[in-house]
Amino acid sequence: MKELNTSGRALLMALADGQWHTGDELGEMLGVSRAAVWKQLKKLQAMQLEIFAVKGRGYRLSRPLELIDPQALRQRLQDESATCFMQVHYSHSLDSTNLTAMNMVAEGKTHGQLVVAEHQAAGRGRRGKSWHSPFGENIYLSLIWSFQGGLAGLEGLSLAIGLGLAKGLHRLGVEGVELKWPNDVLIDNKKVSGILIEVSGETEGECHVVIGIGLNVEMQNATDDLITQPWCSLRPYLPADVGRNALLQTVMVDLVGVLEQFVDVGFAGLRDEWLTYSAHMGQALRLSSGTMITEGVMVGLTDTGGLEVRTAKGVEVFYGGEVSVRAVSAS
């Protein structure tokens, strides 16, 4: 998916108010013909934007859009964290923010690069799953963060990232935020955010980590063939005056703060706080990996983020990767 050209961006800004605009009005505003306006409208529709067209009234979006303001995001990060080096790369549409960030790493652009998009044509989740990414409804970002000490120093990182998101949501007044091991953020037992981590670098030297985050904010429709597990959007839980920009800025400030803590103290220094958000502490669980199925009760986490489960064999420790965790309903 190509980024919008100047005319496409101008058209999007004009329609973002959710009001009716005639073809003549839009053409005059953009300095192009009505046919050219229609061509740009088709490009917006290809990015999953729902546009109503009524003869005699013109065109409007199905709802108003609050587009991400990259300058405001950069300023907030500079004002409230030590990340004055942060560079924000904003696009209306990308194949994938993680893919874009990984390409940046390959080009030598590393620590502190933040990629944000309004839409992903090929968003990705864990285990090769696609991530439903409609235009302007949610938040899609990838952050490049560099670590010293090799891969061993990254143990528990995905849990730390989930903690950063939970802290940001809690600070905005969202109630009922929980963390599902190893890296899902839940509200009312429904997934509201997912995390995808990709690593490039030396086994025992410097590592560059691409932290991909999808956060459901205003998602309108998603059928079972697009999302195969219970999900929710943040809008019903957010204060009415908190929009996508305020949400993104707050979450990023808390995420960066947790990442800086992680560098200093590792996951061991964050474990107790993570457990205060745990969705399954003390609950019966069923863990599966391939043909292996284990049942037990979650009793804690190790210093490196391993899941401690009391089973018939005693306390066993499980690590991320391909382990799937489900709560066992009481009979």
Side-chain angles (χ1 to χ4, degrees):
M1 178 66 66
K2 293 183 179 180
E3 175 70 344
L4 293 172
N5 60 21
T6 302
S7 294
R9 292 193 294 271
L11 177 60
L12 179 62
M13 292 297 293
L15 292 173
D17 62 7
Q19 301 300 309
W20 289 102
H21 298 273
T22 67
D24 288 337
E25 175 191 342
L26 293 172
E28 183 176 351
M29 186 184 304
L30 274 59
V32 298
S33 67
R34 292 190 62 175
V37 169
W38 178 247
K39 183 177 180 181
Q40 295 300 327
L41 285 167
K42 297 299 287 183
K43 290 182 180 179
L44 295 182
Q45 289 176 322
M47 292 190 293
Q48 297 176 299
L49 272 168
E50 186 177 12
I51 300 174
F52 297 146
V54 175
K55 189 173 182 180
R57 299 196 71 183
Y59 309 96
R60 74 171 178 88
L61 294 177
S62 59
R63 62 180 183 85
L65 283 178
E66 180 191 352
L67 299 173
I68 298 300
D69 184 341
Q71 297 298 329
L73 173 59
R74 185 181 294 109
Q75 188 63 53
R76 178 80 180 272
L77 287 167
Q78 291 177 355
D79 290 346
E80 296 193 30
S81 71
T83 56
C84 57
F85 57 84
M86 185 79 72
Q87 296 186 44
V88 181
H89 306 268
Y90 169 76
S91 297
H92 289 105
S93 182
L94 294 172
D95 285 339
S96 158
T97 59
N98 255 40
L99 177 60
T100 300
M102 289 295 289
N103 288 338
M104 285 182 175
V105 172
E107 295 167 1
K109 298 177 182 177
T110 54
H111 191 60
Q113 309 292 320
L114 175 62
V115 180
V116 183
E118 299 284 1
H119 166 260
Q120 294 183 117
R124 295 178 292 151
R126 292 178 65 216
R127 304 175 190 161
K129 295 181 179 178
S130 62
W131 187 267
H132 184 51
S133 308
F135 191 102
E137 294 184 6
N138 307 315
I139 288 173
Y140 320 110
L141 68 87
S142 294
L143 172 64
I144 304 174
W145 203 266
S146 298
F147 296 87
Q148 304 298 324
L151 297 178
L154 303 181
E155 292 177 327
L157 177 60
S158 65
L159 284 83
I161 294 165
L163 175 61
L165 298 180
K167 284 165 66 77
L169 295 177
H170 181 75
R171 189 151 66 98
L172 285 168
V174 179
E175 298 182 357
V177 179
E178 294 183 312
L179 295 172
K180 176 187 173 184
W181 184 90
N183 58 6
D184 285 347
V185 183
L186 310 178
I187 299 178
D188 292 337
N189 293 315
K190 297 176 181 179
K191 186 170 179 175
V192 74
S193 179
I195 298 163
L196 174 65
I197 295 176
E198 297 184 277
V199 181
S200 173
E202 302 297 326
T203 304
E204 299 182 356
E206 185 178 37
C207 291
H208 308 299
V209 179
V210 171
I211 301 166
I213 295 171
L215 189 60
N216 299 337
V217 185
E218 307 267 7
M219 189 134 70
Q220 304 297 301
N221 297 293
T223 57
D224 290 342
D225 61 326
L226 294 173
I227 303 178
T228 58
Q229 65 187 97
W231 63 274
C232 67
S233 288
L234 277 168
R235 176 46 58 202
Y237 305 93
L238 282 169
D241 61 345
V242 176
R244 291 171 69 232
N245 280 287
L247 172 64
L248 174 57
Q249 292 166 22
T250 302
V251 163
M252 280 304 304
V253 168
D254 281 273
L255 174 60
V256 167
V258 167
L259 287 172
E260 290 170 343
Q261 284 183 271
F262 183 86
V263 170
D264 291 337
V265 300
F267 181 72
L270 301 168
R271 175 182 56 187
D272 290 347
E273 189 173 14
W274 193 99
L275 287 171
T276 66
Y277 288 97
S278 174
H280 295 137
M281 184 65 178
Q283 292 187 17
L285 302 177
R286 179 177 291 111
L287 291 80
S288 58
S289 178
T291 58
M292 182 277 293
I293 296 177
T294 303
E295 292 192 354
V297 175
M298 178 180 175
V299 294
L301 297 172
T302 68
D303 285 351
T304 57
L307 179 66
E308 296 178 328
V309 179
R310 180 177 287 111
T311 71
K313 298 178 181 179
V315 175
E316 298 185 61
V317 178
F318 299 85
Y319 292 92
E322 298 304 310
V323 179
S324 175
V325 177
R326 294 285 185 272
V328 177
S329 300
S331 57

